[in-house]
Amino acid sequence: MEIKVNFLENLRLEAKFDDFTVTADQPIRYKGDGSAPSPFDYFLASSALCAAYFVKVYCKARDIPTEDIRLSQNNIVDPENRYNQIFQIQVELPDDISEKDRAGILRSIDRCTVKKVVQTEPEFKIETVENLDEDASIMAMGISEDVSNTMILGKDLPLEKTIANMTGMLESLGMKIEISSWRNIVPNVWSLHIRDAASPMCFTNGKGASKESALCSALGEFIERASCNFFYNDQYFGEEIANSDFVHYPNEKWFVLTENDSLPTGLMDDYCLDIYNPDGELQGSNLIDTNSGNFERGICTIPYVRQSDKQEVYFPSNLLENLFLSNGMSAGNNIHEAKVQCLSEIFERAVKRQIIEEEIVLPDVPEEVLAKYPGIQAGIAGLEEQGFPVLVKDASLGGQFPVMCVTLMNPRTGGVFASFGAHPSLEVALERSLTELLQGRSFEGLNDVPAPTFSSEAVSEPNNFVEHFIDSTGVISWRFFSAKSEYEFSEWDFSGTNEEESDSLMGILEALGKEVYVATFDDFGASACRILVPGYSEVYPVEDLIWDNTNKAIHFREDILNLHRLDDEELADLIARLDESEEDNYTEIKTLIGIEFDENTVWGQLTILELKILIHLALQQYEDAMELVASFLQYNDNTVERGLFYQAMNAVLEILLDDELELDDFIYNLRRMFGEEVMENVVGSVNGDVKFYGLTPTSTKLEGLDKHLRLIESYKKLHAARAARAAN
């Protein structure tokens, strides 16, 4: 994690990371102002807090109350060497906690990350650089330079060469990539999390049988998502980019909206229109892209090549961002390698969906077949030793598809996690199933997986597949665990060269009667592509284009960002449109309008419900406000401070709306109950002196929205690279 430090007045310092700012100072006796803890105080506190965190995680997983658990830490300093210290952590446990859990809590404290890092004696590298924002020396941290020729199945270059190539591409874009975490909790299963240090919203996860293959996976995913603009899905690019020569890609094509809002001629082809507009309800305005929101330019489309006849077909970028998420994106050492990954991913998701929704019972993989892959066996054994039974299944549906499945059961919680993987090689598909299972997860994280169900409606409900797609935490059927499989085991093999594998996988789709559309992206020097299989590779239902389109943001974004500038008539119109939209009141505003607010601010936690309350207060519509305040208090998961504000607001509104009560009669005790500051803001909100309490003014210029601006600056690097490439 990159932490940037600013030098403030006297000895005060300011550290900025993610959405947080931490201020440090020195005691007055050391010529500081004593306004904040010292850096070393923060270090000491981090150890105690980390220990307490692991206690909390342990207890939460076992429904053990923590109200009566107390923890403290003392640092005992060697009088002859002040750098030699003992950190003594003591925990006081209630009598009703069993001996087993007492031992478990102590083991959990022993796993404290701060403690383990200190015990490992971290190395400090101190150097000067020309530019902090451009230096990317930490990217390949932890990867040995001694080995230079590690080949794995599916890759046409050694891992080290692949990592070097991708690292160079990202450096050339001005991306400073940092590795924020590694995990290796069972043998031969590695995962890591990487992100853009300047814009942490741009992140990917990688997985593999080694740390090199996991890093290669994460970097490849980063490049594919940058190439396909996935990091910026649903986000507003701002006025500058919305009006630039191109918004997404130099070869994009814009279709002007028709007078009757019908779909413009030349948009997609008949095959796609039958899928995406079966009843003729889809309108042109449904396909305005969220990123630009530019109605005047019309519909932004990206050319894809139809594989059956190599003709270009123009797909609205809006349709891509609404239906496909990241499905079918990849980057590789060459275009064939990338296509194999894309197609494998598409089969993985489509077959997984079919198996889950149809409650198909899969055959077990015989032990003699598993024995051919000792590394995979060791990983499975590691899970079994931790008390997690594992099932290894053939998900090829009788050898039709290159898909495998590894399913973990958690006897502690009754939860089940079915992980699928696909590749023309059975070994690679099986390895991907296992590594996907533990990607970014600790053993504690496996306590969150849901229990199976006998409800067919629950497993076939569209959102269940979305949950499976996002993090594999959707539910599966108990029928999945029957011993009577519906298919015979097949030791399938679709492997060959990457070109042969790509052709083979394309052949499966052709046999299914599917049209395939491919777009390639080489603007950054990478071989990246995106593959669409309409009617097969979508993640969200097609109906979302009409009923739950992300470009609904366009109808609210400008007014919400200009909230403080709206007059009463415009505020009344905004709240009327919010009501008419029937959007869920608990939808976050940042999701509704595609703006990344700092989550530690009121804007960052603002919901439609709270926005409506604030508008009703600004309009002095007290009855409407009080009705919504009651809902807010009933289901509030906002901050304690915000909850207190609305508790006080509820009391004040009750008084104002009761003809027999006077606020002046209660104000003294209300101030004693909620404090002077809260009551000043509550009373100010009802009498008009305070408008939109807690919301700092902003506009479509995005001033003050640092988190979103960091995201846009990240996109501008890609935009500039594409413009330069197109100019040459």
Side-chain angles (χ1 to χ4, degrees), residues 267 498 721:
L267 198 67
N498 273 310

Side-chain angles (χ1 to χ4, degrees), residues 217-345:
S217 166
L219 290 169
E221 187 172 286
F222 198 100
I223 289 173
E224 83 185 33
R225 295 189 174 199
S227 298
C228 297
N229 288 344
F230 181 73
F231 291 132
Y232 318 98
N233 228 27
D234 308 340
Q235 302 297 325
Y236 179 47
F237 284 163
E239 295 172 351
E240 179 186 345
I241 295 175
N243 294 294
S244 60
D245 290 340
F246 66 91
V247 172
H248 298 273
Y249 300 97
N251 65 344
E252 68 194 21
K253 182 176 180 179
W254 291 79
F255 289 79
V256 177
L257 293 177
T258 63
E259 288 187 8
N260 63 358
D261 206 17
S262 61
L263 296 184
T265 302
L267 198 67
M268 296 185 281
D269 58 16
D270 290 341
Y271 179 86
C272 293
L273 289 171
D274 286 343
I275 293 171
Y276 299 124
N277 191 27
D279 303 317
E281 295 180 323
L282 190 63
Q283 297 178 318
S285 58
N286 293 132
L287 299 175
I288 299 296
D289 72 298
T290 309
N291 305 110
S292 75
N294 199 326
F295 273 89
E296 290 184 6
R297 293 181 80 165
I299 302 168
C300 183
T301 67
I302 315 299
Y304 278 71
V305 176
R306 187 169 55 211
Q307 296 303 287
S308 60
D309 58 6
K310 305 305 178 185
Q311 295 297 305
E312 276 193 342
V313 176
Y314 287 92
F315 281 82
S317 62
N318 170 284
L319 183 144
L320 305 181
E321 72 185 36
N322 269 283
L323 301 184
F324 291 92
L325 289 183
S326 64
N327 200 20
M329 300 178 183
S330 189
N333 290 301
N334 54 60
I335 194 60
H336 299 299
E337 187 178 299
K339 284 181 177 179
V340 169
Q341 174 58 24
C342 280
L343 293 166
S344 296
E345 188 176 80

Side-chain angles (χ1 to χ4, degrees), residues 368-409:
E368 59 269 23
V369 174
L370 278 180
K372 298 178 182 180
Y373 315 115
I376 295 171
Q377 273 192 318
I380 292 170
L383 285 170
E384 296 267 5
E385 289 167 5
Q386 292 292 327
F388 299 105
V390 175
L391 306 175
V392 184
K393 301 280 188 178
D394 168 25
S396 69
L397 303 185
Q400 296 179 75
F401 304 103
V403 186
M404 298 297 285
C405 174
V406 174
T407 301
L408 173 144
M409 297 182 284

Side-chain angles (χ1 to χ4, degrees), residues 279-508:
D279 303 317
E281 295 180 323
L282 190 63
Q283 297 178 318
S285 58
N286 293 132
L287 299 175
I288 299 296
D289 72 298
T290 309
N291 305 110
S292 75
N294 199 326
F295 273 89
E296 290 184 6
R297 293 181 80 165
I299 302 168
C300 183
T301 67
I302 315 299
Y304 278 71
V305 176
R306 187 169 55 211
Q307 296 303 287
S308 60
D309 58 6
K310 305 305 178 185
Q311 295 297 305
E312 276 193 342
V313 176
Y314 287 92
F315 281 82
S317 62
N318 170 284
L319 183 144
L320 305 181
E321 72 185 36
N322 269 283
L323 301 184
F324 291 92
L325 289 183
S326 64
N327 200 20
M329 300 178 183
S330 189
N333 290 301
N334 54 60
I335 194 60
H336 299 299
E337 187 178 299
K339 284 181 177 179
V340 169
Q341 174 58 24
C342 280
L343 293 166
S344 296
E345 188 176 80
I346 286 169
F347 282 121
E348 173 194 319
R349 274 74 182 261
V351 173
K352 175 180 183 177
R353 181 175 202 155
Q354 181 183 353
I355 290 167
I356 290 171
E357 291 184 354
E358 297 178 12
E359 302 174 273
I360 295 173
V361 183
L362 302 176
D364 293 322
V365 176
E367 284 297 325
E368 59 269 23
V369 174
L370 278 180
K372 298 178 182 180
Y373 315 115
I376 295 171
Q377 273 192 318
I380 292 170
L383 285 170
E384 296 267 5
E385 289 167 5
Q386 292 292 327
F388 299 105
V390 175
L391 306 175
V392 184
K393 301 280 188 178
D394 168 25
S396 69
L397 303 185
Q400 296 179 75
F401 304 103
V403 186
M404 298 297 285
C405 174
V406 174
T407 301
L408 173 144
M409 297 182 284
N410 188 343
R412 301 186 189 113
T413 64
V416 169
F417 186 172
S419 175
F420 290 73
H423 189 269
S425 162
L426 186 149
E427 178 182 0
V428 176
L430 189 54
E431 179 187 287
R432 287 181 175 176
S433 300
L434 179 60
T435 54
E436 175 70 24
L437 184 73
L438 295 175
Q439 181 169 282
R441 286 185 173 84
S442 62
F443 289 127
E444 288 82 7
L446 295 172
N447 292 327
D448 296 330
V449 297
T453 179
F454 279 110
S455 169
S456 297
E457 292 79 8
V459 295
S460 61
E461 197 271 324
N463 196 57
N464 186 50
F465 176 65
V466 175
E467 294 295 325
H468 275 288
F469 179 89
I470 294 172
D471 59 7
S472 297
T473 57
V475 297
I476 63 173
S477 173
W478 267 116
R479 294 175 178 84
F480 182 85
F481 297 95
S482 171
K484 295 181 179 179
S485 62
E486 298 176 43
Y487 292 89
E488 294 293 326
F489 168 75
S490 171
E491 194 170 358
W492 49 268
D493 184 11
F494 296 90
S495 62
T497 65
N498 273 310
E499 185 172 2
E500 291 169 342
E501 290 175 353
S502 174
D503 291 341
S504 177
L505 298 181
M506 285 286 190
I508 297 174

Side-chain angles (χ1 to χ4, degrees), residues 106-316:
L106 292 180
R107 285 197 304 272
S108 72
I109 294 175
D110 195 51
R111 294 181 56 228
C112 165
T113 309
V114 175
K115 166 183 165 296
K116 286 188 173 294
V117 169
V118 172
Q119 288 178 325
T120 308
E121 298 183 3
E123 179 182 355
F124 286 80
K125 294 183 178 180
I126 303 171
E127 61 185 5
T128 61
V129 295
E130 292 295 325
N131 188 317
L132 282 175
D133 295 326
E134 294 178 0
D135 177 66
S137 61
I138 62 173
M139 183 180 293
M141 182 184 68
I143 301 303
S144 171
E145 297 178 0
D146 298 334
V147 182
S148 59
N149 200 32
T150 307
M151 297 296 298
I152 63 171
L153 288 172
K155 293 293 179 186
D156 285 342
L157 287 177
L159 288 177
E160 293 78 12
K161 179 64 174 174
T162 303
I163 291 169
N165 288 344
M166 291 190 289
T167 298
M169 292 174 203
L170 292 170
E171 285 181 351
S172 69
L173 291 170
M175 295 278 190
K176 183 176 180 180
I177 307 301
E178 61 182 13
I179 299 172
S180 60
S181 68
W182 287 98
R183 287 194 184 276
N184 173 221
I185 60 175
V186 298
N188 308 314
V189 178
W190 287 80
S191 68
L192 79 159
H193 180 93
I194 67 172
R195 62 187 189 177
D196 180 355
S199 178
M201 297 79 76
C202 301
F203 66 87
T204 57
N205 298 301
K207 59 185 185 294
S210 68
K211 62 183 178 183
E212 291 84 1
S213 59
L215 178 58
C216 192
S217 166
L219 290 169
E221 187 172 286
F222 198 100
I223 289 173
E224 83 185 33
R225 295 189 174 199
S227 298
C228 297
N229 288 344
F230 181 73
F231 291 132
Y232 318 98
N233 228 27
D234 308 340
Q235 302 297 325
Y236 179 47
F237 284 163
E239 295 172 351
E240 179 186 345
I241 295 175
N243 294 294
S244 60
D245 290 340
F246 66 91
V247 172
H248 298 273
Y249 300 97
N251 65 344
E252 68 194 21
K253 182 176 180 179
W254 291 79
F255 289 79
V256 177
L257 293 177
T258 63
E259 288 187 8
N260 63 358
D261 206 17
S262 61
L263 296 184
T265 302
L267 198 67
M268 296 185 281
D269 58 16
D270 290 341
Y271 179 86
C272 293
L273 289 171
D274 286 343
I275 293 171
Y276 299 124
N277 191 27
D279 303 317
E281 295 180 323
L282 190 63
Q283 297 178 318
S285 58
N286 293 132
L287 299 175
I288 299 296
D289 72 298
T290 309
N291 305 110
S292 75
N294 199 326
F295 273 89
E296 290 184 6
R297 293 181 80 165
I299 302 168
C300 183
T301 67
I302 315 299
Y304 278 71
V305 176
R306 187 169 55 211
Q307 296 303 287
S308 60
D309 58 6
K310 305 305 178 185
Q311 295 297 305
E312 276 193 342
V313 176
Y314 287 92
F315 281 82

Side-chain angles (χ1 to χ4, degrees), residues 42-79:
Y42 279 117
F43 168 66
L44 294 176
S46 72
S47 174
L49 289 170
C50 185
Y53 162 76
F54 277 92
V55 172
K56 186 72 173 180
V57 169
Y58 180 92
C59 293
K60 189 175 180 181
R62 293 158 180 80
D63 293 323
I64 300 173
T66 54
E67 288 81 0
D68 296 326
I69 296 178
R70 300 171 64 201
L71 183 144
S72 71
Q73 174 184 292
N74 289 287
N75 60 311
I76 303 171
V77 183
D78 185 337

